[in-house]
Short mmCIF file of all heavy atoms in Angstrom, two decimals:
data_model
loop_
_atom_site.label_atom_id
_atom_site.label_comp_id
_atom_site.label_asym_id
_atom_site.label_seq_id
_atom_site.Cartn_x
_atom_site.Cartn_y
_atom_site.Cartn_z
N ASN T 133 29.59 16.51 175.30
CA ASN T 133 30.03 15.26 174.71
C ASN T 133 31.06 14.60 175.61
O ASN T 133 31.69 15.27 176.43
CB ASN T 133 30.65 15.53 173.33
CG ASN T 133 29.60 15.77 172.28
OD1 ASN T 133 29.33 14.90 171.47
ND2 ASN T 133 28.99 16.95 172.27
N PRO T 134 31.29 13.30 175.46
CA PRO T 134 32.22 12.60 176.35
C PRO T 134 33.69 12.79 176.00
O PRO T 134 34.56 12.25 176.67
CB PRO T 134 31.82 11.13 176.18
CG PRO T 134 31.27 11.04 174.80
CD PRO T 134 30.57 12.37 174.58
N TYR T 135 33.99 13.56 174.96
CA TYR T 135 35.36 13.70 174.49
C TYR T 135 36.06 14.87 175.18
O TYR T 135 35.59 16.00 175.12
CB TYR T 135 35.38 13.92 172.97
CG TYR T 135 34.43 13.00 172.25
CD1 TYR T 135 33.25 13.47 171.71
CD2 TYR T 135 34.71 11.64 172.15
CE1 TYR T 135 32.37 12.62 171.06
CE2 TYR T 135 33.83 10.78 171.51
CZ TYR T 135 32.66 11.28 170.97
OH TYR T 135 31.79 10.43 170.35
N THR T 161 24.63 14.87 170.83
CA THR T 161 26.03 14.48 170.87
C THR T 161 26.45 13.92 169.51
O THR T 161 25.61 13.53 168.70
CB THR T 161 26.30 13.42 171.97
OG1 THR T 161 25.48 12.29 171.71
CG2 THR T 161 26.03 13.98 173.35
N ILE T 162 27.76 13.87 169.30
CA ILE T 162 28.30 13.30 168.06
C ILE T 162 28.95 11.96 168.38
O ILE T 162 29.35 11.71 169.51
CB ILE T 162 29.32 14.26 167.40
CG1 ILE T 162 30.44 14.64 168.37
CG2 ILE T 162 28.61 15.49 166.84
CD1 ILE T 162 31.56 15.49 167.77
N ASP T 163 29.05 11.11 167.36
CA ASP T 163 29.68 9.82 167.55
C ASP T 163 31.20 9.95 167.43
O ASP T 163 31.72 11.00 167.04
CB ASP T 163 29.12 8.77 166.59
CG ASP T 163 29.33 9.13 165.12
OD1 ASP T 163 30.26 9.90 164.79
OD2 ASP T 163 28.56 8.63 164.29
N ALA T 164 31.91 8.88 167.76
CA ALA T 164 33.38 8.90 167.77
C ALA T 164 33.95 9.20 166.39
O ALA T 164 34.96 9.90 166.27
CB ALA T 164 33.91 7.57 168.31
N ALA T 165 33.33 8.69 165.34
CA ALA T 165 33.82 8.95 163.98
C ALA T 165 33.73 10.43 163.62
O ALA T 165 34.65 10.99 163.02
CB ALA T 165 33.04 8.10 162.97
N THR T 166 32.64 11.07 163.99
CA THR T 166 32.49 12.51 163.73
C THR T 166 33.50 13.30 164.55
O THR T 166 34.10 14.26 164.05
CB THR T 166 31.06 12.97 164.04
OG1 THR T 166 30.15 12.21 163.25
CG2 THR T 166 30.86 14.46 163.76
N TYR T 167 33.71 12.90 165.81
CA TYR T 167 34.70 13.58 166.63
C TYR T 167 36.10 13.46 166.01
O TYR T 167 36.83 14.44 165.94
CB TYR T 167 34.71 13.04 168.06
CG TYR T 167 35.84 13.62 168.87
CD1 TYR T 167 35.81 14.96 169.24
CD2 TYR T 167 36.93 12.86 169.23
CE1 TYR T 167 36.86 15.52 169.96
CE2 TYR T 167 37.98 13.40 169.95
CZ TYR T 167 37.94 14.74 170.31
OH TYR T 167 38.98 15.30 171.01
N GLU T 168 36.45 12.28 165.52
CA GLU T 168 37.77 12.10 164.90
C GLU T 168 37.90 12.93 163.63
O GLU T 168 38.96 13.50 163.34
CB GLU T 168 38.05 10.62 164.62
CG GLU T 168 38.36 9.83 165.88
CD GLU T 168 39.51 10.43 166.70
OE1 GLU T 168 40.53 10.84 166.12
OE2 GLU T 168 39.37 10.51 167.94
N ARG T 169 36.84 13.02 162.84
CA ARG T 169 36.85 13.86 161.64
C ARG T 169 37.03 15.33 162.04
O ARG T 169 37.78 16.07 161.42
CB ARG T 169 35.56 13.65 160.84
CG ARG T 169 35.61 14.27 159.47
CD ARG T 169 34.49 13.81 158.55
NE ARG T 169 33.16 14.01 159.10
CZ ARG T 169 32.37 13.05 159.56
NH1 ARG T 169 32.75 11.80 159.55
NH2 ARG T 169 31.17 13.33 160.03
N PHE T 170 36.34 15.75 163.10
CA PHE T 170 36.49 17.12 163.61
C PHE T 170 37.95 17.38 164.02
O PHE T 170 38.53 18.39 163.65
CB PHE T 170 35.55 17.35 164.80
CG PHE T 170 35.90 18.54 165.63
CD1 PHE T 170 35.85 19.83 165.11
CD2 PHE T 170 36.30 18.38 166.95
CE1 PHE T 170 36.19 20.94 165.88
CE2 PHE T 170 36.63 19.48 167.72
CZ PHE T 170 36.59 20.76 167.19
N ARG T 171 38.56 16.46 164.77
CA ARG T 171 39.96 16.63 165.18
C ARG T 171 40.88 16.76 163.97
O ARG T 171 41.78 17.58 163.95
CB ARG T 171 40.41 15.47 166.06
CG ARG T 171 39.90 15.54 167.47
CD ARG T 171 40.30 14.35 168.32
NE ARG T 171 41.64 13.85 168.09
CZ ARG T 171 42.70 14.14 168.85
NH1 ARG T 171 42.56 14.92 169.90
NH2 ARG T 171 43.87 13.63 168.58
N ARG T 172 40.64 15.94 162.94
CA ARG T 172 41.46 15.98 161.73
C ARG T 172 41.25 17.30 160.98
O ARG T 172 42.21 17.95 160.54
CB ARG T 172 41.10 14.77 160.86
CG ARG T 172 42.06 14.52 159.72
CD ARG T 172 41.77 13.22 158.97
NE ARG T 172 40.36 12.99 158.67
CZ ARG T 172 39.59 12.09 159.30
NH1 ARG T 172 40.05 11.34 160.26
NH2 ARG T 172 38.32 11.95 158.95
#
Side-chain angles (χ1 to χ4, degrees):
N133 283 256
Y135 316 107
T161 59
I162 55 175
D163 60 24
T166 302
Y167 173 69
E168 286 306 317
R169 191 167 55 253
F170 163 64
R171 283 178 39 99
R172 192 173 45 253

